Each structure stands twice: as C-alpha cells, then as structure tokens.
C-alpha cells in the first residue's frame, strides 16, 4: 500500500466521526422560534400577566403573532406531537439527591412548569385565533387524524376561530369519519349566534347513522335556539340507547335546555322509577331539577329529622314554673 493511501487511512476514523456528528446535528429538532432574541416559551407566560405595562403587553402580542405567522409549518408539526411525560430535569434530580444526603436543611428544588412543544403550539393557536385562521384547512384535515387527542384539539381550535371557520366546519359535516362529523357539529354549536344560519344543516344531522353524531348535533341545535320539540326526542333516544358516557352527555344537554325541555319530564320521571343504581337515579334527578324543579322536589330524598328534644314549655301563668305531666 502506497504512502498516500496510508495517510488517507489515518484520517478515516476522523472522517467517520465528523460524518456521524453532522448526521446527529442534522437530525436535531428545529430550534425554538424567537422574537427579539427571546424564545417562544419566554413570551407565552406574559400573555395573561395583567401586571405588565400596556407597552409590554402590546410587545408580547406582537412577538407571538410574528412567531406564529412566520413559523406556521413548525407549529403545526408540534401541535400534532404527543405530549411528553412530566419529568424533572437531570440537574434537579442531582441537586435534590445531594440535598437528601445532608441534615442541615430540608430544602428541596421544586419542579417548575416546562412548556412542551405541543403545549406551546396549542397555546399560540387557541390564544391567537388570527394565527390559527391561516391554517383552517390543516385543522380540518386533522379531524380525520388517527389520534383522538389531535382530533379533539383541532376541533377546539376551529371552534375558537369562530365565524371564519364556519364554512370549513360545514364541509366537515359531510365527511365519512364519524368523529369528524361529531366534532364539527359540536363546535358549530359552540360558535353561537354567528352560526345560527347553519341550524338547518345541523338539524339534518339529527338522523345520522351514528349515535354520538346525533347527540352532538342535537346539543348544537339546542345551543343555537332550535325547536325543543325536534331535539328533545333525539336526546332522550340517545339517553336510552347509549353507553354511560352518552347517557351523561344527553342528560347534560337536556339540563342546559332547562324549561324548554319540559316535554322530557314524563320520560325522566319514568327513568327515575326504573333506575337500578344510585348513580343513574341522581343523574336523572339532577337533570329534572334543571327542567322542572317542582316535579324534582317530589323525588328528593327526605331530610334527616333531628332527634334532639325541644325545650320544655313554660307555664303561661307562671313562666318560671314547669308543667308536670297531668298537671292542668
């Protein structure tokens, strides 16, 4: 082997190590976005700090809006990540271990809240709907995600965006994914008065093939001021045919209708009489209280009677003299 080849072999390990280092660096997650030299997790706790001067509050808003709009793909990626388990930093563990080995003080470092990447992305999108509005199509697509948590968070963001998200949520009502339809129906109801015009679309979902889609559509129609005569039968059907969770949600929606759900009273009274366990009994009774308190009062458990005897009565003629038994 010639001299040039031997020299190359000497540097081969260094080249291999350098290649591995470059690969590791390239594999590192993207750096946390910054504004004014400070990372996102610095700005987020300042959002709800009312003690900040107005100028600092405005600066915080500008910082997060800038970070959100300029780093949207990164935040969307973080949004879908699984929340990491809570764990103390290694140096916290080391210091606390050292402190536990001595008897001079019982001081211990307490773990502080650490912003995770998914929690930072969720905070930006929910606290600043104008940032999330740019990504409405991506959040609609997440309603079909395989992870239930991602679907739920995306629905929360869409509902929080409000009126600009209504057309996309309407489109989601026709998706083949049952959960996507249910989430879209629920959050259209959460939008409130701006979504009243979509009530006919939600009423059409009251005959959906899936029970929890019908349940969420009925709840949304109720929130948007729909006719109780249309939604109460649907809620009662869901109550009788669903599992424990569905039954609980159906009763909750009925309770929120209050006196508008008077037509449900006979059914609830029958359900009270047929309840086989205390949980069902008190859940139905709680709904009945909100709808018709007078009827609910008939089923309230009796109050315990005090066993303490009243003080003896005093004689009208002589207030200081006790009346003995048989004494006129």
């Amino acid at each position: 082997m010639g001299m040039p080849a031997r020299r190359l072999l000497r540097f081969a390990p260094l080249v291999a190590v350098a290649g591995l280092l470059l690969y590791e660096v390239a594999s590192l997650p993207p750096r946390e976005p910054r504004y004014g030299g400070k990372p996102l997790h610095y700005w987020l706790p300042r959002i709800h700090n009312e003690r900040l001067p107005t100028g600092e509050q405005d600066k915080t808003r500008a910082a997060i809006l800038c970070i959100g709009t300029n780093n949207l793909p990164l935040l969307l990626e973080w949004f879908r990540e699984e929340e990491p388990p809570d764990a103390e930093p290694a140096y916290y563990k080391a210091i606390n271990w050292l402190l536990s080995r001595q008897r001079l003080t019982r001081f211990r470092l307490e773990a502080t809240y650490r912003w995770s990447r998914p929690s930072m992305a969720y905070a930006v999108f929910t606290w600043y709907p104008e940032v999330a509005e740019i990504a409405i199509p991506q959040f609609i697509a997440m309603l079909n995600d395989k992870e239930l948590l991602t679907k739920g968070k995306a629905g929360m963001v869409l509902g929080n965006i409000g009126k600009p998200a209504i057309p996309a949520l309407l489109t989601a009502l026709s998706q083949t994914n049952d959960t996507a339809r249910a989430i879209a129906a629920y959050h259209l109801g959460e939008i409130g008065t701006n979504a009243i015009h979509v009530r006919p679309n939600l009423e059409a979902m009251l005959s959906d093939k899936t029970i929890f889609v019908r349940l969420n559509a009925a709840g949304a129609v109720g929130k948007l001021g729909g006719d109780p005569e249309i939604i109460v039968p649907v809620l009662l059907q869901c109550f009788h045919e669903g599992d424990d969770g569905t039954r609980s949600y159906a009763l909750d929606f009925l309770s929120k209708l209050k006196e508008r759900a008077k037509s449900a009273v006979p059914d609830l009274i029958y359900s009270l009489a047929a309840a086989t366990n205390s949980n069902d009994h008190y859940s139905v009774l709680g709904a009945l209280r909100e709808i018709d308190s007078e009827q609910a009062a008939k089923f309230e458990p009796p109050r315990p009677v005090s066993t303490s005897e009243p003080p003896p009565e005093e004689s009208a003629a002589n207030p200081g003299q006790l009346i003995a038994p048989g004494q006129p």
Side-chain angles (χ1 to χ4, degrees):
M1 184 180 296
M3 290 295 293
R6 289 176 184 163
R7 288 176 181 173
L8 287 175
L9 284 174
R10 290 177 186 174
F11 292 103
L14 294 176
V15 172
V17 170
L20 288 172
L21 287 174
L22 286 173
Y23 175 79
E24 289 296 326
V25 170
S27 303
L28 288 174
R31 187 184 180 193
E32 186 178 331
R34 293 172 174 262
Y35 178 90
K38 294 182 172 61
L40 178 57
H41 77 263
Y42 166 82
W43 296 105
L44 287 172
R46 296 164 60 91
I47 293 175
H48 301 297
N49 187 349
E50 297 178 354
R51 293 177 296 179
L52 284 179
T54 303
E56 287 298 313
Q57 292 177 5
D58 292 342
K59 185 177 180 180
T60 297
R61 176 178 176 80
I64 296 177
L65 284 174
C66 181
I67 289 174
T69 53
N70 291 328
N71 296 273
L72 195 58
L74 176 63
L75 292 179
L76 287 169
E77 181 182 334
W78 286 3
F79 184 85
R80 299 182 62 171
E81 287 183 2
E82 184 178 352
E83 191 70 38
D86 278 338
E88 289 185 343
Y91 69 89
Y92 265 55
K93 293 180 180 179
I95 293 173
N96 283 331
W97 181 83
L98 290 172
L99 290 171
S100 69
R101 310 302 293 178
Q102 51 82 41
R103 298 183 179 180
L104 294 177
T105 179
R106 293 186 178 182
F107 175 75
R108 178 180 173 85
L109 289 178
E110 296 294 334
T112 56
Y113 178 75
R114 295 171 63 85
W115 288 87
S116 65
R117 299 194 306 191
S119 66
M120 286 192 288
Y122 182 76
V124 172
F125 291 136
T126 52
W127 295 346
Y128 289 86
E130 54 267 61
V131 176
E133 185 180 343
I134 307 170
I136 285 177
Q138 289 91 327
F139 287 115
I140 288 292
M142 288 183 202
L143 296 182
N144 288 297
D145 197 274
K146 63 179 181 179
E147 294 293 336
L148 186 59
L149 180 60
T150 300
K151 293 178 180 180
K153 291 197 305 179
M156 294 281 288
V157 171
L158 288 164
N160 199 48
I161 291 172
K163 188 175 181 179
I166 290 176
L169 287 169
L170 273 176
T171 302
L173 289 180
S174 60
Q175 291 191 8
T176 57
N177 186 292
D178 296 339
T179 306
R181 295 199 307 280
I183 291 174
Y186 177 85
H187 287 290
L188 281 169
E190 289 293 292
I191 289 174
T193 54
N194 285 324
I196 286 179
H197 65 284
V198 308
R199 201 165 63 198
N201 304 79
L202 292 166
E203 289 172 353
M205 306 297 292
L206 297 177
S207 57
D208 192 274
K209 63 183 178 66
T210 305
I211 186 170
F212 59 86
V213 176
R214 298 197 301 269
L215 176 63
N216 281 282
V221 171
K223 291 174 185 176
L224 298 178
D227 186 357
E229 296 302 317
I230 296 175
I231 57 178
V232 167
V234 176
L235 291 172
L236 289 173
Q237 183 185 29
C238 292
F239 169 72
H240 289 298
E241 297 178 2
D243 56 18
D244 289 344
T246 302
R247 289 164 63 83
S248 177
Y249 273 109
L251 289 175
D252 182 58
F253 284 137
L254 283 168
S255 299
K256 290 176 180 176
L257 289 173
K258 296 190 178 293
E259 64 275 1
R260 295 171 61 213
K262 276 288 183 71
S263 61
V265 170
D267 195 295
L268 294 177
I269 290 175
Y270 175 82
S271 298
L272 272 175
T276 56
N277 63 69
S278 58
N279 287 337
D280 282 349
H281 179 87
Y282 286 110
S283 296
V284 176
L285 182 58
L288 188 59
R289 284 194 197 104
E290 297 295 325
I291 299 167
D292 191 331
S293 57
E294 290 185 5
Q295 289 295 328
K298 300 176 182 179
F299 298 91
E300 296 287 358
R303 295 181 179 180
V305 179
S306 175
T307 56
S308 59
E309 295 183 2
E313 296 182 2
E314 294 183 344
S315 168
N318 186 357
Q321 180 182 2
L322 297 178
I323 299 177
Q327 182 179 342

